[in-house]
Amino acid sequence: MSDTPFGFGLPPEEPENGDEGKKKGNEGGQGGPANPFGFSGMGLPGAGGPGGADNPFASMFGAMNPNDLGAAFQQLGQMLSYEGGPVNWDMAKDIARQTVAQGTADGVKDTSVGVAEKSAVQEAVRLADLWLDGVTSLPSGANTAVAWSRAEWVEATLPVWKELVDPVAERVGAAMGGVLPEEMQAMAGPLLGMMRSMGGAMFGQQIGQAVGVLAGEVVGSTDIGLPLGPTGKAALLPLNIEGFGKDLGVPADEVRLYLALREAAHARLFAHVPWLRSHLFGAVEGYARGIKVDTSKLEDVVGQLDPSNPEQLQEALAGGMFQPQDTPEQKAALARLETALALVEGWVDAVVHEAAKPRLTSADAMRETMRRRRASGGPAEQTFATLIGLELRPRRLRDASRLWASLTDARGVDGRDGLWEHPDMLPTASDLDDPDGFVHREQLDFSEIDKMLGEAAEKRDQSHQGDQGDKGADGEGEEKK
C-alpha cells in the first residue's frame, strides 16, 4: 500500500524555471502545513508564498500580483461551486495539461510529434505485428498506430482514469456526506455541499497532477497492464521513448521496436479476449467496494470544520482515513486482480521475447529492463497507488511468464492462447506455484461444451417449430370441417 494511499499529500515540487519569485515563494512555504489543494501545481502565480499557516489564503495569495487575483479567485470559485460527480474531472484535465506544459524534472518540454516520428512509430508497429503473427494465434488488435505527444496522451487516457478512479472517489464522497445524523443533514446542506465540492476538487487536483507527471514517463498506452487508450490503437510516445532508451546503450530503433512489440501484444490480447477488460476493471471496482472509511475521524473533522481552514480535512485525508478492509472478500478481490495482471504481463513478456529473441541483439537486456520496471513498481504503478491506494504490480510476472512459455512447449501456440477463451480456463494463483502441474493437467475444452449446448438448443428450437406447425395444421383442418 502507498504511504499516502489516496494521493492527498503535496504534489511534487515544480521544476525550477528561472522564476526566482516562484522559487523563493516555494522555499518560504516549507515547514508549514500541507496546502490541501496543491495550488503550487495549478499554475497560480505566487502560490505557496509567505503568509503563515494561520491563514491559508494569505499563503495562497500573499505573493501574488494584484492583476492575477481575479484569475485566482475565479479558479477558487469554480472549485467550491463544483456540483458534478465525485471527481472534478475538468480540474483534473486542466492541471494535467498545465503539468505537462511545465516539462519534466530534467527540463524536457513536451513537443508536437513530427512527421518523421509518426512514420517511425507506424513502421515499428507494422513490423512488430508481422513478427507477432508467428508467435501467437491472436490476430492483430491494432487497427491504427499513433504517435502521441504527452498532452495527447493525457487527452486520450483521461476517460479510462475516470472509470478506474470514480468508484473509489464515490465511496469516499458518500462517507463524507453521511457522517452527520440524518436530522442534521438538512440543516447542514451548505456545509455538505461545500465538502463535496472540496472533495471533488482535491481528487481532481491530485489526479490531474499525477496524470500530468505520468505523461512525462510512460512510453505507450499499456504501461500499467490496463488498456488506457482507445480500442484498436497502438500508441507510443516518441519523446518519452527517447528518454527511456537514453542510458541503455541500445540503438534507438531497437528500443522503439521492442516497445512497439509490447504495445502491439497488449492490443491483441485486449482486442480479442472480449471479457478481459471488464474482468480487470471489475476487480478494481470490487477492491474499491471493500475500502473502509474511518468515520469517527471524519466525524471529528466535520464537526470542527472551518471553511477558511481546509487543512483540517486535508490532514485527515492524508492521515490514514481510508484503509482496505481485511476481509475474505477484499483479499479475494486483490488476489484476483494481481493474478490477472500477472497473467496479462506474463503472456506479453513471453510472446514478445519469443518474437524478439531471434531478431534483436538487445532482446534479453530489454526484457530484463522491462521486468524490473514493472516488478519493482515503476512510475505508472506508483502513480496508480497514489491515486487509489492500489498497487497494480504484477508481483508474479516471472512465474506467469515461465508458465506461458511452458504451455507453449507442451501444447503449442494454439493450445496456449486457447486458454484466453474463458476466464475459468486461465491459471490461478495456486497454478503459478505449480506450473508443471497446470501445464500437464487435462483442461476442460469450453469450445466443445459451447458446441454441444448450441446443438442442443438448435434441436430444441426445431422441435418447438415442428410442434407449432402441427398445431397450425390441426387448426386449419378443424376450420375446414
Side-chain angles (χ1 to χ4, degrees):
M1 280 297 174
S2 170
D3 292 335
T4 56
F6 285 84
F8 288 114
L10 282 174
E13 185 176 332
E14 294 180 10
E16 295 180 10
N17 58 5
D19 187 334
E20 293 299 321
K22 283 188 181 179
K23 184 178 177 183
K24 291 177 181 178
N26 288 336
E27 291 173 353
Q30 291 178 355
N35 178 353
F37 302 111
F39 283 104
S40 62
M42 293 179 63
L44 294 177
D54 295 335
N55 185 351
F57 295 102
S59 65
M60 206 184 303
F61 304 131
M64 191 176 291
N65 186 308
N67 294 331
D68 298 320
L69 282 175
F73 278 115
Q74 183 180 7
Q75 283 194 301
L76 183 60
Q78 290 173 350
M79 177 186 72
L80 294 178
S81 63
Y82 174 70
E83 297 180 351
V87 178
N88 189 332
W89 286 103
D90 290 336
M91 175 178 285
K93 179 180 176 180
D94 290 343
I95 295 172
R97 292 295 300 262
Q98 291 167 11
T99 303
V100 165
Q102 292 166 4
T104 52
D106 57 3
V108 178
K109 299 280 188 179
D110 191 23
T111 59
S112 298
V113 179
V115 175
E117 290 173 318
K118 291 180 181 179
S119 177
V121 166
Q122 290 170 352
E123 178 60 23
V125 172
R126 185 198 66 77
L127 185 56
D129 256 338
L130 185 64
W131 290 0
L132 289 172
D133 283 340
V135 296
T136 174
S137 61
L138 300 180
S140 174
N143 301 324
T144 56
V146 293
W148 283 340
S149 66
R150 294 167 178 171
E152 289 171 327
W153 182 89
V154 168
E155 294 281 352
T157 62
L158 269 179
V160 181
W161 286 115
K162 184 177 188 297
E163 188 175 350
L164 289 169
V165 175
D166 268 353
V168 177
E170 185 73 47
R171 179 148 181 78
V172 174
M176 291 175 68
V179 294
L180 292 180
E182 187 175 347
E183 61 273 11
M184 294 181 61
Q185 290 191 19
M187 300 172 58
L191 176 61
L192 293 175
M194 186 187 71
M195 287 179 61
R196 283 191 291 268
S197 297
M198 290 167 59
M202 283 189 288
F203 265 113
Q205 191 276 331
Q206 291 294 335
I207 291 168
Q209 181 77 21
V211 170
V213 172
L214 184 58
E217 301 168 340
V218 295
V219 295
S221 68
T222 56
D223 285 42
I224 64 172
L226 295 174
L228 294 179
T231 303
K233 284 190 177 180
L236 296 176
L237 282 71
L239 182 62
N240 292 354
I241 290 175
E242 181 181 350
F244 174 83
K246 187 175 180 181
D247 299 320
L248 295 180
V250 177
D253 289 346
E254 287 199 18
V255 173
R256 184 192 305 112
L257 186 50
Y258 190 88
L259 296 177
L261 280 165
R262 289 184 54 83
E263 182 77 5
H266 277 102
R268 288 181 181 231
L269 201 55
F270 286 109
H272 300 291
V273 182
W275 55 265
L276 181 57
R277 188 182 190 278
S278 60
H279 180 74
L280 290 169
F281 281 63
V284 173
E285 188 172 352
Y287 182 85
R289 284 196 301 268
I291 289 174
K292 177 177 62 177
V293 179
D294 187 347
T295 54
S296 63
K297 185 180 293 187
L298 189 53
E299 287 171 1
D300 292 340
V301 174
V302 172
Q304 304 172 15
L305 186 63
D306 178 358
S308 67
N309 187 18
E311 278 96 343
Q312 292 173 325
L313 183 58
Q314 161 65 12
E315 291 170 0
L317 293 171
M321 182 184 297
F322 312 111
Q323 298 293 335
Q325 288 184 324
D326 190 17
T327 63
E329 294 79 12
Q330 185 73 347
K331 290 179 178 178
L334 182 59
R336 185 162 64 103
L337 179 61
E338 288 184 341
T339 301
L341 285 171
L343 292 174
V344 168
E345 291 295 287
W347 184 88
V348 169
D349 178 81
V351 300
V352 166
H353 187 69
E354 190 176 352
K357 178 69 173 175
R359 301 175 174 95
L360 299 179
T361 57
S362 61
D364 289 333
M366 291 294 299
R367 183 189 205 186
E368 188 60 28
T369 298
M370 294 305 301
R371 280 182 166 186
R372 290 180 179 178
R373 190 173 190 251
R374 289 297 282 125
S376 64
E381 180 274 323
Q382 291 170 2
T383 296
F384 199 85
T386 300
L387 290 178
I388 68 167
L390 178 63
E391 295 180 346
L392 288 179
R393 185 183 304 176
R395 302 176 188 277
R396 308 194 65 180
L397 185 155
R398 293 175 188 268
D399 293 336
S401 181
R402 282 195 293 268
L403 187 147
W404 289 119
S406 297
L407 281 168
T408 308
D409 294 338
R411 304 186 187 181
V413 168
D414 291 340
R416 178 200 65 197
D417 294 346
L419 295 179
W420 290 106
E421 290 180 5
H422 193 280
D424 290 343
M425 297 177 68
L426 286 179
T428 63
S430 60
D431 291 325
L432 295 179
D433 296 328
D434 181 22
D436 289 337
F438 178 84
V439 168
H440 298 293
R441 186 187 311 153
E442 194 67 34
Q443 295 291 305
L444 188 61
D445 190 343
F446 279 81
S447 62
E448 288 300 318
I449 292 179
D450 290 340
K451 182 179 178 182
M452 292 168 59
L453 291 174
E455 290 174 350
E458 186 177 348
K459 290 179 180 178
R460 187 168 57 249
D461 290 342
Q462 289 173 351
S463 174
H464 180 68
Q465 290 171 1
D467 292 342
Q468 294 287 5
D470 292 341
K471 289 179 181 179
D474 292 342
E476 238 178 33
E478 290 174 2
E479 286 180 5
K480 288 180 180 178
K481 290 178 182 178

